[in-house]
């Protein structure tokens, strides 16, 4: 059953790691829901505690005294968030992404704030998950340590290629590593707790963790440091909102299944967080300086301390790496969809709206890959450096979403609405407070970057929308009916290099739709383009006179500065300004060669001229391009000798 | 007087380091002619002996026994070349470049051989001169040794930029370093010879040169090794042909001044070569392994041994570096001109014919910079590795030029023609023999690369010419007069996204020149482009009916695969195939935005469509592009409301 789920999100607007079946008939229950919607939340259990301990690295083993208390605070906050999101699930059974909930209840500005926070959250999720996954890998295989950044970029590249190809991950790809991850960490926690209890609180580690020597200033444990640690540890909560986005995938009544899934996910997460906190204290596990040769991830130390570096160790760490990389992959599914919905509302360029051939939003995928790769390179692939940015984005999204729910209850009312409002208000206040704490404590560590990015994104969204609105206004022709009154034919300009079939084809088209044709030859002296002045009478004027029709005029311009393009554009502008009420049609003859390398043999003068005219020709201009196909040269020549025509008299074939 | 010379070669076809004054009145004598036309020849005195000694590196100080004899052989060959080129100067007073002399006397194949040899010679001159210059620099400043390749590329980049800007080097820029170079090396040779004589043949070096420990196999001095050394040493002769290309710059009678200049150059070169050979024997100077930490150039060792590493040493080595870099610069002046003349004969793409804005042949400069940079990187910036390639190119050019002179005398006859023929025949045989010796002895060192490059270049030249000939044949319309018989108007296709001013402008142009217009709307479902079916009657059909003119037909296509471009191209091809005798004009509406970054906001659908139609539209197609300028939106809208027209009736302004 798992294998038939698809990662296609057509109905859901955005949100993390949601799988809508293309076949509406297949729905899931909580057990299947956990890997699909809970992967991100559970993955954060592996970098949250690590981030917390890394802040306390200076305290040495003393740190482990404080970890349980900070963890309890985080778990308490998680509880508030849990209760709040239970309400969102019930209120938005069709999926309550922060952008659409905010848009519906609080208007454009709030929804753009949510969009900016979510977009940054997705980008950082890729960076943090990939770098944490590689961090786990290099803990198990220390020789890879010096290739951290390269490995991170390799994973991003792989995810990009896979997603550009529009892969549809089956549920099994998520379920197996998720449950192996949960089961092995639960087993480690159970064994560790049992040993601790059995040994009276001082278990002997199988493989001793890195013992940090207390830092010089350890005696001074400031509250400031603990607040810092809390701020970093809060990243353990990221991903909790995903279930609220994915309600429709559950068996009806969907909100019941979704709530049960949320309960399961939060329950597992709480066990993992408390377990890690307990064992880090019992075994004296501290963080190691990231990016150095002594680095080993907290989870790796913990598993090794409890069960040793046997096969079980490698299974557990392998599942950690897999879960982290898969949680990065969910950003690749969700970020492009978020961008699409923003672009549909015209706050992002329309490229984000179009799907590629394989139904993937290629532009969004590339944007995500580029930005996360830049982050990984700038921050050298070390999770710890990215945590301050990540925590801001995630809590900004939480706060907006909860605040929008408060507005929702206020607007909608309904039975016992004030109780619902109170719960979401508690959630909003708690997450907002945390957000402020994080922002202040992490400001100089890089949180300001997130603030700048959010503000910059909102500004960008608004500028893009303003431009689209202006274009729509400027080009509006809502009820303008087409005007069929006869207008004067345009003045036609035909630039030509020499008298050949390519030029003749262009001239023929020109005389077909206007009696006022000027053939322009620019002589630069560089080429042996023969001046046509002497032959023009014979080639053009006499045949025209015989039929009594106006003949094209030859204009020969000598360019002292050998500037073909500029001279032609200047001539066209000159004609425009002398006839301000006329259209000027420039017929550009162009030789089209069948093979790409043959293009190297000819100056792309026709293409350059078309571009120059488009950009600098002015509003009277129309650019007409008559291609002449070298690989069809025999029919082209034949048409030259006997043109497609009906009726007509006078001189015929070439002489 | 020197400062007014310019490095512009308008009259001379190609050849090395020629300065034609733009002002015809200013001509030069031999003293000024040496730096202008002799720089390359003199510069080769610094890498020729070095290359010779490097081959003998395994012999240790024993090598210095053989150096004078090999040098005498090279000087003898130089004498033959001198006499031969004196004749070329007299026979071609307007400049006798190998390409044009060969073309005139021996036909296309010989001239292409000469062209290929010269082109490769110029490229290698850049690589060898730059790497020798940097070699001299790192000998003086050994800490720079590990940056050899980077320094070489830096010099090439600098030369490229300077030449792209079209700098005009004044004669002084060449004269000062050239004469400082000659004077300081002459002084060193004079002092060294005097000390040697005074000390009875065993002078005490001021700063002892690197003493090589004799190699294990030194006792076995094979003839093969000496032939190798001779082949390498022959690079000392490169650049001698330059005077023959530059005859017209001298005071009349020009050939007299040119001959005197050649005598001066060859005289100086002989003194330098013999002097270096003598001193390397007297002071026991041997080459040092290039590219290693022990490396020091032979000239650097020699100057240091004779006068010590005082200020004089730095002046002398500084002039060596300057002369070598300037001799690379002359390739930058001459290679693009060689390419131009080959391109004028249509053996190279026409890009090489056009001058850039600053009168420089940008394309040729970039081609030279790229190829020489590739050589420097592949051969790690070490002169010695490039010598085998260089010698082949130079002697191939010598041989072709001399052989062409033989053909010239045979053809022209004239007084005592057999004597002239014999002299050039001696030159041709001597250089051909040397060429064969070099080719055989250096074959596995890389000379085969030159052979492959020459053969490949000739093949390329011929293929390019064959293609141009075919294009000229296929597009010929020599005496085809313009046919003014009335032909049927084209069938017009107007692709449109929605009903806006951009589309209306395109439709208006379309109805102006054909009664058969189809407006095509492709609905992909991705966009909110509203289906116009219901409004078409009101917007288009009724206004047309009122005037009794044919109305454009609306074609709405639903694309299941969201492929806008492919669907449109397929539709156009479908129309073409149903009307094989009609022209199909596609009018592409395009919104033109004033700023480049605004282009990012719109899918470049119009540009992509134009390109797709050009490449895959087929011979019946004409592409018409009606730009709509956003920065002129008010006049554009006004024109929409009241079009430029004369006469006409029926419904007017927007409703």
């Amino acid at each position: 059953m798992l294998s038939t789920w698809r990662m296609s999100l057509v109905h859901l607007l955005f949100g993390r790691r949601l799988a809508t079946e293309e076949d509406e008939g297949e729905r899931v229950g909580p057990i299947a829901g956990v890997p699909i919607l809970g992967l991100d939340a559970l993955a954060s259990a592996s970098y949250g505690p690590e981030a917390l301990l890394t802040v306390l690295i200076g305290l040495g083993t003393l740190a482990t005294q404080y970890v349980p208390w900070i963890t309890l605070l985080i778990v308490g906050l998680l509880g508030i968030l849990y209760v709040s999101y239970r309400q969102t699930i019930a209120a938005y059974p069709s999926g309550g992404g922060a952008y659409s909930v905010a848009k519906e209840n609080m208007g454009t500005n709030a929804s753009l704030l949510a969009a900016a926070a979510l977009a940054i959250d997705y980008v950082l999720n890729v960076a943090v998950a990939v770098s944490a996954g590689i961090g786990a890998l290099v803990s198990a295989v220390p020789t890879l340590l010096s290739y951290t950044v390269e490995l991170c970029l390799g994973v991003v590249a792989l995810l990009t290629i896979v997603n550009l190809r529009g892969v549809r991950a089956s549920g099994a790809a998520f379920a197996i590593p998720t449950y192996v991850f949960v089961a092995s960490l639960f087993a480690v926690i159970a064994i560790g707790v049992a040993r601790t209890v059995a040994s009276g609180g001082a278990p002997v580690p199988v493989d001793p963790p890195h013992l940090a020597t207390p830092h010089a200033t350890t005696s001074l444990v400031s509250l400031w440091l603990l607040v810092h640690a809390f701020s970093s540890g809060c990243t353990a909560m990221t991903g909790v909102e995903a279930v609220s986005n994915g309600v429709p995938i559950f068996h009806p009544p969907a909100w019941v299944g979704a709530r049960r899934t949320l309960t399961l996910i939060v329950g597992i997460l709480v066990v993992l967080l408390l377990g890690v906190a307990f064992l880090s204290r019992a075994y004296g596990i501290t963080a190691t300086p990231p990016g150095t040769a002594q680095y080993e991830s907290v989870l790796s130390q913990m598993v090794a301390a409890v069960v040793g570096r046997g096969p079980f160790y490698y299974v557990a760490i392998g599942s950690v790496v897999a879960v982290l990389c898969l949680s990065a992959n969910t950003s690749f599914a969700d970020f492009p969809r978020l961008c699409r919905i923003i672009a549909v509302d015209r706050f992002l360029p329309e490229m984000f709206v179009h799907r590629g051939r394989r139904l993937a939003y290629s532009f969004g995928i590339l944007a995500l890959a580029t930005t996360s790769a830049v982050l990984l390179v700038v921050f050298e692939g070390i999770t710890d450096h990215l945590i301050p940015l990540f925590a801001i984005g995630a809590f900004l999204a939480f706060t907006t979403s909860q605040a929008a729910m408060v507005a929702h209850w206020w607007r909608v009312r309904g039975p016992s609405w004030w109780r619902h409002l109170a719960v979401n208000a508690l959630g909003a206040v708690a997450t907002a407070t945390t957000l402020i704490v994080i922002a202040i404590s992490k400001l100089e560590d890089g949180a300001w970057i997130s603030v700048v990015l959010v503000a910059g994104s909102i500004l960008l969204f608004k500028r893009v929308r303003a431009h689209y609105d202006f274009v729509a206004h400027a080009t509006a022709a809502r009820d303008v009916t087409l005007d069929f009154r006869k207008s004067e034919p345009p003045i036609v300009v035909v630039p030509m290099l020499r008298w050949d079939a390519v030029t003749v084809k262009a001239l023929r088209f020109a005389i077909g739709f206007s009696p006022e044709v000027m053939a322009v030859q620019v002589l630069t002296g560089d080429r042996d383009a023969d001046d046509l002045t002497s032959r023009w009478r014979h080639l053009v004027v006499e045949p025209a006179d015989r039929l009594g029709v106006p003949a094209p005029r030859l204009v020969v311009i000598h360019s002292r500065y050998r500037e073909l393009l500029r001279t032609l554009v200047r001539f066209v502008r000159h004609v425009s300004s002398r006839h301000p009420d006329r259209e000027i049609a420039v017929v550009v003859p162009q030789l089209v060669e069948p093979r790409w390398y043959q293009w190297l043999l000819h100056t792309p003068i026709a293409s350059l001229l078309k571009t120059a005219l488009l950009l600098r020709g002015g509003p009277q201009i129309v650019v007409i391009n008559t291609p002449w196909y070298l690989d069809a040269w025999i029919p082209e020549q034949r048409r030259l000798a006997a043109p497609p025509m009906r009726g007509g008299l006078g001189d015929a074939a070439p002489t």
Side-chain angles (χ1 to χ4, degrees), chain A residues 47 113 183 188 196 201 228 283 307 351 378 398 404 448 472 530 563 594 621 645-646 652:
Chain A
Y47 48 76
L113 181 64
V188 168
T196 308
H228 253 264
Y283 285 87
V307 298
M351 280 87 148
V378 170
F398 286 154
W448 63 271
D530 35 303
E563 294 173 324
I621 209 145
M645 43 98 223
R646 298 218 178 128

Side-chain angles (χ1 to χ4, degrees), chain A residues 261-302:
Chain A
T261 306
L262 184 63
T263 309
L264 258 175
I265 291 167
V266 172
I268 295 170
L269 187 54
V270 167
V271 172
L272 291 177
L273 293 179
L274 292 178
V276 171
F278 180 87
L279 292 184
S280 84
R281 180 173 184 175
Y283 285 87
I285 294 165
T286 59
T288 48
T292 67
Q294 299 107 56
Y295 176 71
E296 186 181 351
S297 75
V298 168
L299 276 189
S300 170
Q301 293 182 65
M302 193 182 90

Side-chain angles (χ1 to χ4, degrees), chain A residues 48-80:
Chain A
E50 170 104 29
L52 191 166
L53 279 159
T54 303
V55 173
L56 302 178
I57 215 164
L59 300 183
T61 47
L62 194 62
T64 58
Q65 304 300 314
Y66 299 97
V67 171
W69 304 109
I70 300 173
T71 303
L72 281 177
L73 192 59
I74 292 172
V75 167
L77 192 57
L78 188 57
I80 296 174

Side-chain angles (χ1 to χ4, degrees), chain A residues 328-351:
Chain A
N329 191 56
T330 59
S331 273
F332 274 91
D334 299 343
F335 178 85
R337 293 199 171 82
L338 171 63
C339 290
R340 178 181 192 274
I341 189 176
I342 303 173
V344 164
D345 286 350
R346 299 192 166 271
F347 289 108
L348 271 181
E350 59 176 334
M351 280 87 148

Side-chain angles (χ1 to χ4, degrees), chain A residues 499 532-546 651 653-655:
Chain A
W499 189 262
L532 286 173
T533 311
S534 59
R535 300 169 63 208
W536 197 251
R537 247 208 100 63
H538 166 65
L539 293 171
V540 176
V541 180
E542 286 169 7
D545 287 350
R546 251 172 279 158
D651 100 342
T655 48

Side-chain angles (χ1 to χ4, degrees), chain A residues 475-534:
Chain A
T475 65
R478 178 104 204 111
D479 284 312
V480 175
T481 55
L482 198 56
D483 189 339
F484 284 91
R485 290 172 300 176
K486 224 175 168 51
S487 57
E488 252 184 319
I491 297 172
V492 184
V493 176
V494 185
M496 52 182 197
L497 288 172
R498 63 190 79 82
W499 189 262
D500 60 15
V502 187
T503 302
V504 172
K505 182 175 183 178
L507 277 172
R508 275 205 178 154
F509 188 83
I511 57 178
F513 76 99
S514 176
E516 283 175 84
V517 177
M518 282 185 274
V520 183
Q521 203 181 16
V522 177
L523 298 179
T524 60
D526 256 352
R527 275 217 132 281
D528 51 346
D530 35 303
D531 186 336
L532 286 173
T533 311
S534 59

